[in-house]
């Protein structure tokens, strides 16, 4: 029988993977991970919520509503169950019930920003500016870091020119790449999978030892994915804490070191970021993502030539790594080299189509958004 604590760790790891895939709009993969999560620990209600939300994103609306109803029945005091049900009800236009569910969620968890945020987005779909404004203000009161999410959410597009919106979102209509303090973090610069490089052949471990090693890696991956989650929301201190936890749990997990280095860079701790990236490269010279971390730190330190060499070395080692291709495109965009930016962006989106939607809102690519080639590459040209 699986220990309850182990089951919860496994479930949380699967859910974190699912959240990562969901954020990348890979909903089928997200659903697979969320289903694994609820199978690992059927009592993990947050995993059930994630599954219901993913079903909704896949257009499986009846299943999404049923899943949310089950959560509410299981625990009528669980705020996220009502948030999931409100999301599912939106597909059926049952607005009175949606409003009641959001109000119930807020009454149960008045310090939970996502309840206010989703309620604001609901009001935006109803063209109710007053209530949209009202609930977005509450979001910022509870969690000021939501300003970045507000600024880029397509559900709120119609209000971007409003003065109240700009104040809440700290909106920057034309963010330049060098404005590191305010520019949203490129998603491609976030580690995109937990895979570590292949290790040298070693004698087979005894079954018990192998099981312990797998458990350690599973826990480290859980912490790693929490870090990715916070990083994508520009909450870098939380991301750093999670990546620190990952490397402490499993000191052999190189991907977590890369993630930590990149997070340090976004905290403007550039020397630490570069030192850590160099340690990764020294430890495993054939690990392509170590050079990504090195290039990212060098780029922000203004050492363009060494940054280029690091990108090229990483791509030489793994030419099909989408995040490397994408970040090299951003590098050329920072250098105002449109031809090279176009070339490497084309390679990146060919390797990973989810980068198309990201690049549309990435401030590193802002200079090219009106170009026909950019619109064609990102499927915005029709």
């Amino acid at each position: 029988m699986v220990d309850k604590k182990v089951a919860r760790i496994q479930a949380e790891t699967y859910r974190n993977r699912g959240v990562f895939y969901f954020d990348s709009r890979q909903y089928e993969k997200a659903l697979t991970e969320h289903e694994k999560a609820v199978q690992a620990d059927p009592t993990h209600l947050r995993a059930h919520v994630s599954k219901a939300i993913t079903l909704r994103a896949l257009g499986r609306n009846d299943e999404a509503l049923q899943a949310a109803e089950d959560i509410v029945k299981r625990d009528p005091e669980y705020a996220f169950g009502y948030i999931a049900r409100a999301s599912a009800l939106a597909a059926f236009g049952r607005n009175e019930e949606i409003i009641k569910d959001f109000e119930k969620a807020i009454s149960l968890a008045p310090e939970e920003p996502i309840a206010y945020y989703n309620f604001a987005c609901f009001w935006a779909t109803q063209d109710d500016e007053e209530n949209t404004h009202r609930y977005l203000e509450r979001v910022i009161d509870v969690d000021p870091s939501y300003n970045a999410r507000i600024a880029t959410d397509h559900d709120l597009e119609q209000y971007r020119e409003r003065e109240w919106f700009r104040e809440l979102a700290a909106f920057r209509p034309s963010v330049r790449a060098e404005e590191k303090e305010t520019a949203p973090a490129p998603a491609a610069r976030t580690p995109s999978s937990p895979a570590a490089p292949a290790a040298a052949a070693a004698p087979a471990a005894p079954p018990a030892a192998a099981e312990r090693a797998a458990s350690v890696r599973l826990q480290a991956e859980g912490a790693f994915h929490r870090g990715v989650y916070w990083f994508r929301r520009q909450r870098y201190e939380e991301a750093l804490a999670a990546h620190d936890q990952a490397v402490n749990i499993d000191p052999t997990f190189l991907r977590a070191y890369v993630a930590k280095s990149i997070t340090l860079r976004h905290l403007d701790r550039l020397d630490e970021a570069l030192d850590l990236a160099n340690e990764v490269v020294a430890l495993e010279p054939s690990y392509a993502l170590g050079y990504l971390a090195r290039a990212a730190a060098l780029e922000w330190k203004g050492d363009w030539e060494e940054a280029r060499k690091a990108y090229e070395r990483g791509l030489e080692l793994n030419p099909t790594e989408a995040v490397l291709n994408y970040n090299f495109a951003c590098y050329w965009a920072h250098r105002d080299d449109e031809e090279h930016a176009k070339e490497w962006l084309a390679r990146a989106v060919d390797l990973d189509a989810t980068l198309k939607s990201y690049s549309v809102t990435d401030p590193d690519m802002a200079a090219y958004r009106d170009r026909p080639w950019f619109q064609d590459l990102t499927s915005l040209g029709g």
Side-chain angles (χ1 to χ4, degrees), residues 3 5 65 76 79 115 153 179 234-235 251 282 286 295 314 335 338 350:
D3 180 83
K5 184 177 180 181
L65 181 56
D153 194 329
E179 289 180 290
Q234 299 182 58
R235 295 176 63 167
S286 63
R335 305 306 308 275
E338 184 170 346
D350 185 54

Side-chain angles (χ1 to χ4, degrees), residues 252-325:
T252 70
F253 191 9
L254 292 188
R255 193 71 188 247
Y257 286 99
V258 170
K260 180 179 176 181
S261 171
I262 291 173
T263 304
L264 285 166
R265 186 199 70 172
H266 280 271
L267 287 166
D268 226 14
R269 293 162 61 176
L270 302 183
D271 290 334
E272 294 173 75
L274 182 56
D275 287 346
L276 185 56
N278 286 335
E279 288 178 25
V280 175
V281 170
L283 183 65
E284 182 52 78
S286 63
Y287 184 47
L289 291 180
Y291 296 92
L292 168 62
R294 173 188 277 178
L298 288 166
E299 191 176 339
W300 276 32
K301 286 173 74 72
D303 194 340
W304 297 103
E305 183 61 20
E306 289 302 314
R308 181 183 60 78
K309 290 178 181 177
Y311 279 126
E312 289 175 344
R313 177 57 179 155
L315 287 161
E316 179 184 344
L317 290 167
N318 190 353
T320 61
E321 176 58 72
V323 293
L324 270 167
N325 284 270

Side-chain angles (χ1 to χ4, degrees), residues 208-218 250:
E211 185 176 336
R212 283 196 298 273
S215 177
V216 166
R217 177 51 62 89
L218 196 61
D250 185 353

Side-chain angles (χ1 to χ4, degrees), residues 18 22 27-28 30-31 34 49-59:
F22 188 97
Y27 300 129
E28 291 289 354
L31 182 61
H34 292 318
V49 168
S50 297
K51 178 181 175 181
I53 297 292
T54 305
L55 286 166
R56 170 76 174 89
L58 286 166

Side-chain angles (χ1 to χ4, degrees), residues 156-175:
L156 303 170
E157 266 186 322
Q158 66 266 43
Y159 303 124
R160 287 188 181 167
E161 299 304 319
R162 302 286 198 273
E163 187 62 32
W164 63 261
F165 184 89
R166 290 171 181 267
E167 290 175 2
L168 286 177
F171 188 60
R172 306 291 190 272
S174 57
V175 180

Side-chain angles (χ1 to χ4, degrees), residues 81-376:
Y82 295 93
I83 295 172
R85 189 166 70 181
S87 172
L89 287 167
F92 301 97
R94 291 157 61 176
N95 289 352
E96 289 186 11
E97 294 170 75
I98 292 169
I99 292 169
K100 288 179 181 178
D101 273 352
F102 277 127
E103 289 175 342
K104 180 66 173 178
I106 289 168
S107 72
L108 289 169
E111 298 303 312
E112 178 51 61
I114 194 65
Y116 297 109
Y117 187 83
N118 285 3
F119 204 12
C121 290
F122 164 76
W123 288 117
T125 67
Q126 304 303 305
D127 293 323
D128 187 327
E129 183 172 349
E130 182 179 350
N131 274 315
T132 302
H133 183 187
R134 173 187 175 195
Y135 283 99
L136 286 179
E137 282 188 321
R138 294 191 182 185
V139 173
I140 295 299
D141 285 344
V142 173
D143 187 347
S145 72
Y146 265 71
N147 66 336
R149 182 172 179 178
I150 290 169
T152 57
D153 194 329
H154 294 299
D155 290 340
L156 303 170
E157 266 186 322
Q158 66 266 43
Y159 303 124
R160 287 188 181 167
E161 299 304 319
R162 302 286 198 273
E163 187 62 32
W164 63 261
F165 184 89
R166 290 171 181 267
E167 290 175 2
L168 286 177
F171 188 60
R172 306 291 190 272
S174 57
V175 180
R176 290 183 58 80
E178 61 266 22
E179 289 180 290
K180 300 187 289 290
E181 294 78 13
T182 58
R189 290 190 169 94
T190 306
S192 59
S193 78
E211 185 176 336
R212 283 196 298 273
S215 177
V216 166
R217 177 51 62 89
L218 196 61
Q219 292 180 55
E221 286 182 9
F224 167 83
H225 282 289
R226 281 196 298 277
V228 170
Y229 176 87
W230 290 123
F231 185 98
R232 283 177 172 264
R233 286 153 181 78
Q234 299 182 58
R235 295 176 63 167
Y236 301 128
E237 292 290 354
E238 290 97 328
L240 182 61
H243 292 315
D244 270 333
Q245 184 182 14
V247 299
N248 287 333
I249 292 170
D250 185 353
T252 70
F253 191 9
L254 292 188
R255 193 71 188 247
Y257 286 99
V258 170
K260 180 179 176 181
S261 171
I262 291 173
T263 304
L264 285 166
R265 186 199 70 172
H266 280 271
L267 287 166
D268 226 14
R269 293 162 61 176
L270 302 183
D271 290 334
E272 294 173 75
L274 182 56
D275 287 346
L276 185 56
N278 286 335
E279 288 178 25
V280 175
V281 170
L283 183 65
E284 182 52 78
S286 63
Y287 184 47
L289 291 180
Y291 296 92
L292 168 62
R294 173 188 277 178
L298 288 166
E299 191 176 339
W300 276 32
K301 286 173 74 72
D303 194 340
W304 297 103
E305 183 61 20
E306 289 302 314
R308 181 183 60 78
K309 290 178 181 177
Y311 279 126
E312 289 175 344
R313 177 57 179 155
L315 287 161
E316 179 184 344
L317 290 167
N318 190 353
T320 61
E321 176 58 72
V323 293
L324 270 167
N325 284 270
Y326 185 84
N327 279 272
F328 204 24
C330 292
Y331 166 88
W332 289 113
H334 299 161
R335 305 306 308 275
D336 294 322
D337 187 326
E338 184 170 346
E339 283 305 309
H340 278 104
K342 175 183 175 181
E343 175 189 350
W344 290 97
L345 179 60
R347 296 186 189 191
V349 298
D350 185 54
L351 291 166
D352 182 355
T354 66
L355 291 174
K356 292 183 179 183
S357 59
Y358 177 76
S359 63
V360 172
T361 57
D362 186 350
D364 291 340
M365 291 292 168
Y368 305 130
R369 286 180 193 157
D370 293 331
R371 301 286 200 274
W373 65 262
F374 183 86
Q375 294 176 3
D376 288 343

